[in-house]
């Protein structure tokens, strides 16, 4: 997933998710008010989102991250608040077996670092649209991938 804040994600509307082309468009990012950001989706994410849209059809103007009923204090189609959004982030992390990854780290630090690991720091800086080196250096924790490869190999071996 690309680099954006929780507020950016909570603003995504149904119309902003283009299943056909596999992209999400962030029209009003919180940190850069005049820029539009696009996020490319993996094919498996497109499939998941397409299924959600089929199960929960909505008008294009509705927020994607919204209540569908079942929460006593919330009416259907009202957008998630920051606390409830975090609840779902934590559930997704738990389902994936990810521990100790907060939303901010998962969308800023982790994504920036993974892009740098895969494509180099110059590509990561371009992809994340960081305007200063200082900000980029805070988010990009990539040093080299020796440790990453060892951990990844270990995880793959354990999964078998």
């Amino acid at each position: 997933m690309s680099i954006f804040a929780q507020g950016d994600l909570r603003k995504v509307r149904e119309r902003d998710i283009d299943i056909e082309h596999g992209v999400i468009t962030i029209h009003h990012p919180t940190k850069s008010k005049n820029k539009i950001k696009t996020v490319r989706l993996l094919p498996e994410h497109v499939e998941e989102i397409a299924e959600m849209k089929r199960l929960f059809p909505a008008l294009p103007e509705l927020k994607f991250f919204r209540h569908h009923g079942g929460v006593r204090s919330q009416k259907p189609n009202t957008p998630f608040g920051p606390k409830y959004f975090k609840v779902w982030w934590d559930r997704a992390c738990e389902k994936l077996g990810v521990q100790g990854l907060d939303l901010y780290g998962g969308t800023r630090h982790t994504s920036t670092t993974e892009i740098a690991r895969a494509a180099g720091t110059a590509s990561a800086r371009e992809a994340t649209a960081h305007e200063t080196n200082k900000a980029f250096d805070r988010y990009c924790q990539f040093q080299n991938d020796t440790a990453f490869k060892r951990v990844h190999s270990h995880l793959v071996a354990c999964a078998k």
Side-chain angles (χ1 to χ4, degrees), residues 36-47:
I36 292 175
K37 293 183 180 183
T38 56
V39 180
R40 293 179 129 192
L41 297 169
L42 296 173
E44 54 267 29
H45 296 156
V46 171
E47 290 175 21

Side-chain angles (χ1 to χ4, degrees), residues 15-35:
R15 68 174 175 181
D16 299 331
I17 302 173
D18 183 345
I19 297 299
E20 185 178 336
H21 296 102
V23 296
I24 298 174
T25 303
I26 310 282
H27 291 280
H28 304 286
T30 53
K31 295 290 182 187
S32 51
K33 303 284 185 203
N34 299 322
K35 294 185 180 178

Side-chain angles (χ1 to χ4, degrees), residues 2 38 40 43 54 56 72 82 84-85 95 103 119 132 136 154:
S2 183
T38 56
R40 293 179 129 192
R54 187 187 68 71
F56 304 104
R72 204 175 319 146
Y84 197 70
F85 192 87
K95 188 174 181 177
L103 181 63
T132 67
F136 178 78
H154 176 72

Side-chain angles (χ1 to χ4, degrees), residues 8-146:
D8 298 339
L9 287 172
R10 290 183 32 248
K11 290 178 185 176
V12 171
R13 298 183 183 279
E14 288 286 331
R15 68 174 175 181
D16 299 331
I17 302 173
D18 183 345
I19 297 299
E20 185 178 336
H21 296 102
V23 296
I24 298 174
T25 303
I26 310 282
H27 291 280
H28 304 286
T30 53
K31 295 290 182 187
S32 51
K33 303 284 185 203
N34 299 322
K35 294 185 180 178
I36 292 175
K37 293 183 180 183
T38 56
V39 180
R40 293 179 129 192
L41 297 169
L42 296 173
E44 54 267 29
H45 296 156
V46 171
E47 290 175 21
E48 288 286 329
I49 292 171
E51 179 64 10
M52 283 186 236
K53 286 176 164 269
R54 187 187 68 71
L55 291 172
F56 304 104
L59 296 171
E61 290 305 309
L62 284 178
K63 303 282 176 140
F64 180 76
F65 295 103
R66 67 187 185 280
H67 295 279
H68 297 286
V71 176
R72 204 175 319 146
S73 62
Q74 296 295 325
K75 293 180 182 177
N77 296 322
T78 56
F80 287 177
K83 289 180 182 177
Y84 197 70
F85 192 87
K86 184 185 178 319
V87 166
W88 280 100
W89 173 266
D90 291 343
R91 285 181 187 175
C93 286
E94 184 179 329
K95 188 174 181 177
L96 294 169
V98 175
Q99 296 177 350
L101 182 61
D102 67 355
L103 181 63
Y104 189 76
T107 57
R108 296 290 286 184
H109 292 280
T110 304
S111 299
T112 302
T113 300
E114 287 303 305
I115 293 168
R117 183 186 65 74
T121 54
S123 294
R125 187 180 315 278
E126 182 180 343
T128 61
H130 279 97
E131 295 178 4
T132 67
N133 288 337
K134 192 173 184 178
F136 178 78
D137 291 342
R138 258 195 332 269
Y139 297 125
C140 186
Q141 303 299 315
F142 175 70
Q143 302 300 322
N144 86 34
D145 62 357
T146 303

